[in-house]
Amino acid sequence: MEVELCPILRSFGSEQNVLSRPDGSASFVQGDTSVLAGVYGPAEVKVSKEIYDRATLEVVIQPKVGLPSVRERAREQCIRETCEAALLSTLHPRSSLTLILQVVHDDGSLLACYLNAACMALIDAGLPMSSLFCGITCAINTEGQIITDPSVQQEKESRALLTFAIDSVERKVMMSSTKGSFSVKELQQCIAVSQKASEEIFQFYRDSVKRRYSKIM
Amino acid sequence: MAAGFKTAEPLEYHRSFLKENCRPDGRELGEFRATTLNIGSINTADGSALVKIGNTTVICGIKAELAAPTVDAPESGYIVPNVDLPPLCSSRFRPGPPGEKAQAASQFVADVIESSDVIQKKDLCIEKGKLCWVLYCDIMCLDYDGNLLDACIIALLAALKNAQLPEVTINKETDLAEVDFQKKNRLKINRHPTASSFSVFDDSVIIVDPTAEEEGLSTALMTVVTDEEDRLCMLHKPGGSSLSGEKLQDCINRAVMRNREVSKLIDKVMESVKAKK
Amino acid sequence: MKDTPLSNCERQFLLKAVEEKKRVDGRQTYDYRNIKITFGTEYGCCIVDLGKTRILAQVSCELVPPKDSRPTEGILFFNLELSPMASPAFELGRQSELLVKLNRQLERCLRNSKCIDTESLCVISGEKVWQIRVDVHVLNHDGNLMDAASIAAIAALSHFRRPEVAIQGRDITVFTPEERDPIPLSIYHMPICVSFAFFQQGTYLLVDPCEREERVMDGLLVIAMNKHREICSIQSSGGIMLLKEQVLRCSKIASVKVSEITELINKALDNDKRARKEGGKFGFAESMPKERITALKKDEAPVEMTDVQDTANEIISRTEAQPDIVKVPSPVVPAPGTGQVGEGLLNTWGLEEEEDEEEEQHEKEEMSTGEVMVLSDSEEDDVVILNPDANKPKRLEGGSKKGVEAPKKQKTSH
């Protein structure tokens, strides 16, 4: 099946240090999807939750309407394991790191936006990390085209939706969450597309941090 | 002496086995544990299946009820899966509301049902906008020794294949549903998804079907769900160390082979039940 | 997580400053902090910044059966949540006193003041009415949550549009926003809360206390008022005793502030309406400040796709499955309804001591006999699978230490 590839990334932007109370905070906007992330840590941890040789990371996702459901818990697990792999948590034993994500508006590729906002908030908090990560969502529509960063309308019309977290050191896949069925070839193509798209996002991270500290350095 | 070494340095213990390309229980890196399947054991449920992968034991029961379809989907029924990890199966689960592992597993099963289209929801509709079937799939783990998700999917698929629903007609005059318990139909299964779980050690070695100890020491876990046409229904990797495209491809190939194994098992067991009748 | 406690010297500093009519952030006693209101792309979503305090409000609607006591009225539901992001002291799932107080005050201010016409929310009397749900999330706590929450809630309600419905007998058709334009809620007036913090048993008062001032205050007076100078609710907490003149003075200050704030809300609503009509960009993405050093925006960009296909094909071909493992292990069916495949680690329910090959041979031999099958000959365990039709109970593995010849009766999974 010949696949026509013409994916684009929607315009994205971010703001760091948005909130005054959390140790690190960032807002990430992809097209119309907007997520706010706040990080507290390293802080005191409850004795029941403490781990003797590393920091305890807790991720909380707050939906806009209603109480958090099973879907949010599954997403929390994905994001938590991704962050744990990237953070150097052994540098802060017996302490807690709390990451709170609040969706402000959902217009597609929400999980990817969560990951990007989380990474920017962790950078803003100054937590030591072994690598950065970014989230990319690919949608495969009924004709077999791969669309990156789909909007809600495009997500509804697609037959498969794949979200990957790519790490910055070797561009390998850290996390993957998929919906719908697809062939092996389509999967490998989506991974290759995500790896290419992640270059843009990592360059963006670099530019924002450089801009932020431009007056100091 | 080995037991002492295992308690003191569990990671080194496992590493020394992995260096020789085998595992503490004698398996190869790509070998699954013995999978046992038993269907139809619960008489009060409409369909049931019990699966054992090594020591991990999971039982799935399906109950069908009649309900009105939701407003935004008047022509479809729905399937409600629920995974329960009671304190019986392992000391790490406490009594009380479902923990994160159970909730994540429930979401995983729900996603697999939706992504793989295992049952067409339209087949569950009896009368558009008025009456439809709701299938409650309760999956309970009786013994947790790693690789929960694989067992859940096999149990669910076998139970769905085993389930028999009575015939329901709507009486035109009284507008009530009439259930005929004598006539029973099996569910029409579209696809046959199978899950295979892998765990990554030290960012480099990939092993198949981890036990609970191996899961605790691994740096990443991954589950691949394929169906009988070798299409992927789900690639579930909730974080952990990163994997390159080639390693993922290896895992997918192994998963495809496992699918064939499990399909044969389920088919044979179903045949044996039918042959008896 | 615990919040850092306030030190004694900070407390004394703040109290001394209040006595000298000075505030830590340089405001006057009756000054409000800067209020910024932004609306999102979907109707009913609003973020309010009161200084550094940030609050998000979202309004949604649903068709539900009405309450039995009021079959012709719609339902209003308010839910305020203190996000753990707002302060390290807020924990998820904990019903703190502050949360209950804020929820009650918000309900009193908006529901009991009858600012929204609930009769217009009725679709079919006694059967279906609109339930309007307002979710308020506190994102950053820098004092005076009540005021900001009320501003956010009423701005979101004014911004919200509900879908239009057509009734034909007993059938209701709800039109999507593309088919027919959604209609706004009918709001009679806009009640807004104004908070006054009292120090030294009511001698000094401050309007719009920030978080530090809230910690050292003695009592709080909240007056909810609308721009027509009607008081919707008054709440005094902290146990301070106020004189009649003080309360009247506060209400006069409140009326001035409320009219300013109401004008600000209306201006924001007009700006948003104009932006939507002219087709300009609106929403949170636009309202992000571009000139700040901490913010960066990047435009739409295509992703380079030059050799994606080749990379993908290469990976697949490089890792082709070995063709010699084509033979798939065949499963074994010892009894109807039970099957087993694989020779990896067998389970420990029965302590197997025999080899696997012996077992398999046994299974194959006994498959045809039907009644009783012994899976293993070991003395330790007694693995028996009985025919389910004969209505004998099934027992998968034994665990007895001594060798058992006859199968024991035991109930299995039910």
Side-chain angles (χ1 to χ4, degrees), chain C residues 178-197:
Chain C
E178 288 90 38
E179 293 168 12
R180 296 242 191 119
D181 280 337
I183 35 185
L185 299 172
S186 67
I187 298 181
Y188 293 138
H189 59 100
M190 291 202 204
I192 297 187
C193 297
V194 178
S195 302
F196 300 89

Side-chain angles (χ1 to χ4, degrees), chain A residues 67-76, chain B residues 102-108:
Chain A
L67 294 162
S69 69
V70 183
R71 188 182 298 270
E72 267 79 41
R73 293 293 218 123
R75 284 200 171 141
E76 281 174 15
Chain B
Q103 295 203 17
S106 301
Q107 184 62 36
F108 175 78

